Amino acid sequence: MDYAVTQADPPVLVLTAAEVAGQSVRESRLDIENAALRCAEGEGGIGKRVWAFLEGTQMSLRYRATVDVERRAAALNGLDARPVHALPNDVVTFVRPSRYCPSDLLASFAEREFGHLKGGEKIAAMAHWIAGALKYSPGSSGPATTAVDTFVSREGVCRDYAHLLCSLARAAFIPARYTSGYSAGVTPPDFHAVAEIWLDGAWHLVDPTGMSSPADFVIIGSGRDASDIPFMETEKPALLIRQSVDVAYAYPD
């Protein structure tokens, strides 16, 4: 990543692979030219935030990691959803609407379209509906696009697909959080976003774009929506010079 930034406006970065259940970080190296770094725990204790205090007005960043992914996909249809009163305290917040996931505005549609289903079967149906109803269209959405905007336009990118699935799940009182990461199946290669759904007492990765699976997805961070875990955040405008993301599989012999 190469960006022109404003002097004395340290970027906040959320782009390093997280140490979480289902994946082990074997190697992780973040290099930023002419910068002092300060790290803090990421949103909800997942991953980390990195402040880059630059000497000048250009951020030149390189990140490389090797991660062992050990999780497997569970069959959603066999998973139950718990009532809200039985959820852990730190999970309840993911039933509520948020900035990009105004789930309350989609409650009528969720009930009409998926009200006859329960638990993981409902989530699988929602993901299938999104995959069929939306067109993956780079450049069709922007930083202000909400799940309702995507629902109306019927197009977007991974961020929009994830926001819409999170919103529909929350509209049905099933906890859902927005999760960013890496996957070699993403076309074109970039940071990727999926939803995580709380079923049977655990979080389960669900990608309505179909580009990734739990077995090949490397988690960076999770939050209520994209506003909690942007890969880069600055107080003042930053100008993109160059950015590329490359992810490759390495299978054991």
Side-chain angles (χ1 to χ4, degrees):
M1 291 168 54
D2 291 278
Y3 279 81
V5 298
T6 303
Q7 187 79 39
D9 180 19
V12 185
L13 306 163
V14 181
L15 48 73
T16 59
E19 283 283 4
V20 293
Q23 66 185 49
S24 300
V25 181
R26 190 188 304 177
E27 174 196 1
S28 180
R29 178 169 177 170
L30 176 63
D31 294 313
I32 305 178
E33 295 179 10
N34 302 314
L37 307 183
R38 179 168 66 85
C39 298
E41 189 176 74
E43 185 75 22
I46 299 172
K48 63 182 179 182
R49 290 187 173 98
V50 179
W51 275 262
F53 296 89
L54 303 164
E55 292 182 5
T57 58
Q58 182 168 339
M59 182 184 72
S60 294
L61 175 157
R62 303 293 179 269
Y63 175 66
R64 179 181 178 86
T66 303
V67 184
D68 293 327
V69 180
E70 297 124 1
R71 75 177 71 83
R72 293 293 178 265
L76 291 177
N77 288 349
L79 302 177
D80 293 328
R82 296 180 179 178
V84 175
H85 65 78
L87 296 174
N89 288 339
D90 60 343
V91 174
V92 172
T93 190
F94 297 105
V95 180
R96 302 187 181 112
S98 61
R99 177 181 177 184
Y100 293 115
C101 298
S103 51
D104 52 323
L105 302 181
L106 294 169
S108 296
F109 172 80
E111 176 60 28
R112 183 172 67 253
E113 190 76 16
F114 309 106
H116 61 292
L117 302 172
K118 295 187 181 298
E121 186 180 9
K122 179 177 289 190
I123 296 300
M126 289 174 173
H128 180 75
W129 182 89
I130 292 170
L134 268 57
K135 175 184 177 182
Y136 196 90
S137 181
S140 61
S141 60
T145 303
T146 71
V148 171
D149 297 326
T150 302
F151 179 79
V152 172
S153 69
R154 300 297 168 94
E155 61 181 352
V157 293
C158 61
R159 160 190 168 121
D160 307 302
Y161 279 62
H163 280 155
L164 185 52
L165 180 54
C166 287
S167 297
L168 291 175
R170 294 178 196 176
F173 300 102
I174 298 175
R177 66 188 185 188
Y178 177 97
T179 295
S180 65
Y182 301 105
S183 175
V186 176
T187 304
D190 204 343
F191 295 100
H192 195 51
V194 301
E196 277 192 282
I197 313 297
W198 183 265
L199 295 165
D200 259 3
W203 290 108
H204 298 273
L205 292 166
V206 183
D207 185 358
T209 72
M211 292 184 187
S212 70
S213 74
D216 62 35
F217 190 81
V218 174
I219 293 173
I220 295 172
S222 298
R224 295 166 300 172
D225 54 37
S227 64
D228 282 340
I229 49 169
F231 70 84
M232 187 178 85
E233 187 174 14
T234 57
E235 293 181 10
K236 299 175 183 178
L239 176 66
L240 170 65
I241 299 172
R242 187 183 70 87
Q243 177 174 302
S244 64
V245 176
D246 297 298
V247 187
Y249 298 118
Y251 295 100
D253 296 332

